[in-house]
Amino acid sequence: MAAKTRQKPDAPDASDRVSRIREGVTAAILEHRLLPGTKLGEDEIGDIYGASRTLVRTALQQLAHEGIVSIEKNRGAFVARPTPADAREVFEARRLIEPSIVDHAIEAVSPAWLDRLGQHLDEEREAELRGDARASVRLSGEFHRLVAEMSGHSIYVGFLKELIARSSLIILLYRRHDTPACGTDHHAEIVAAIRKRDKARAGALMLSHLNEIEAELFLKDPAADELRLADVLGA
């Protein structure tokens, strides 16, 4: 009788472990617990999740493909540091797809989904009242994800998850300190328009909301500062 091939310990749940690592890193970014530029050591992450370096590397490569992690030759993986140009592209992409997401969400609206959105708004308000900044940031991103999931459009959901994670990094790097990351009142207005099945208003509110988030960011190219400094010192 031929000897049975021993299965590697990682093999049965390799995909699950890669997913757990991806979700853990992404959640930490959404809550601003992982800062842009943070080194993501493979051994340390492997110890945290009980996974081999191969699985950790797979998860980090997937996150790098989504623009959430950057991998540098001979240095390893780091939380990405999006540039002002990256930020503008991310919000341009969100403005293109999120009004369509709202349209699909209204077509798929149901009492169960409206209840879920209402509960989420309650969680956002509670986090805001207790001054829990990390929870507020996470819940703000989750609101947009929930609307996408409500739409039932799987391609949009996948795109938006990536854009939300990138947006979190952008907000962390470029937000003006005297402004909120994402307004709870805006979310409530969008939900009210969804309840009324008012596609035009819901889409317009979503666009206005995204424009305001971007307007509250201080998106200045480093090269612009260098040029001005050269002008001043050379005068």
Side-chain angles (χ1 to χ4, degrees):
M1 182 182 294
K4 290 184 179 179
T5 303
R6 268 187 88 180
Q7 201 169 25
K8 292 180 181 179
D10 279 332
D13 61 345
S15 178
D16 179 62
R17 293 193 187 202
V18 169
S19 295
R20 283 180 55 220
I21 295 166
R22 283 167 45 86
E23 290 167 5
V25 172
T26 302
I29 289 170
L30 288 174
E31 293 184 355
H32 291 176
R33 289 181 284 117
L34 273 178
L35 306 182
T38 301
K39 177 73 185 285
L40 300 169
E42 292 178 2
D43 290 336
E44 188 175 2
I45 293 174
D47 289 341
I48 292 167
Y49 289 96
S52 68
R53 293 187 70 180
T54 300
L55 295 184
V56 173
R57 194 172 296 122
T58 298
L60 294 176
Q61 287 171 343
Q62 290 178 4
L63 291 171
H65 181 70
E66 296 170 8
I68 299 168
V69 166
S70 62
I71 297 177
E72 301 179 18
K73 189 175 181 180
N74 299 326
R75 294 194 66 221
F78 299 82
V79 178
R81 294 185 64 89
T83 65
D86 294 333
R88 295 184 188 99
E89 289 181 1
V90 164
F91 279 95
E92 181 182 0
R94 291 188 65 171
R95 281 191 293 270
L96 285 172
I97 70 169
E98 290 202 62
S100 294
I101 285 173
V102 171
D103 277 358
H104 286 285
I106 288 174
E107 289 172 4
V109 72
S110 68
W113 265 112
L114 290 173
D115 286 347
R116 191 170 176 188
L117 288 173
Q119 290 168 8
H120 187 86
L121 290 176
D122 289 342
E123 290 177 24
E124 284 193 36
R125 293 190 190 98
E126 288 169 9
E128 192 173 36
L129 286 172
R130 66 175 183 268
D132 190 338
R134 285 182 177 176
S136 292
V137 169
R138 173 177 54 80
L139 290 166
S140 292
E142 284 183 5
F143 171 80
H144 292 265
R145 178 181 57 78
L146 275 176
V147 175
E149 289 179 353
M150 178 180 175
S151 76
H153 197 301
S154 60
I155 302 298
Y156 279 157
V157 172
F159 283 158
L160 192 60
K161 281 182 179 178
E162 176 183 332
L163 291 171
I164 288 169
R166 291 194 186 201
S167 298
S168 185
L169 287 173
I170 289 162
I171 290 166
L172 181 57
L173 277 172
Y174 298 111
R175 187 180 71 188
R176 300 174 195 272
H177 295 300
D178 58 343
T179 59
C182 200
T184 304
D185 290 343
H186 292 175
H187 291 174
E189 291 174 355
I190 291 168
V191 172
I194 291 173
R195 285 184 185 277
K196 294 178 181 177
R197 276 80 166 171
D198 189 338
K199 289 185 177 182
R201 178 164 172 75
L205 286 169
M206 183 62 81
L207 270 178
S208 175
H209 177 47
L210 293 170
N211 284 334
E212 186 164 332
I213 296 171
E214 184 178 7
E216 289 170 349
L217 302 176
F218 190 64
L219 299 176
K220 184 186 285 187
D221 294 305
D225 281 338
E226 290 171 10
L227 287 172
R228 273 196 287 274
L229 184 60
D231 290 341
V232 171
L233 294 180

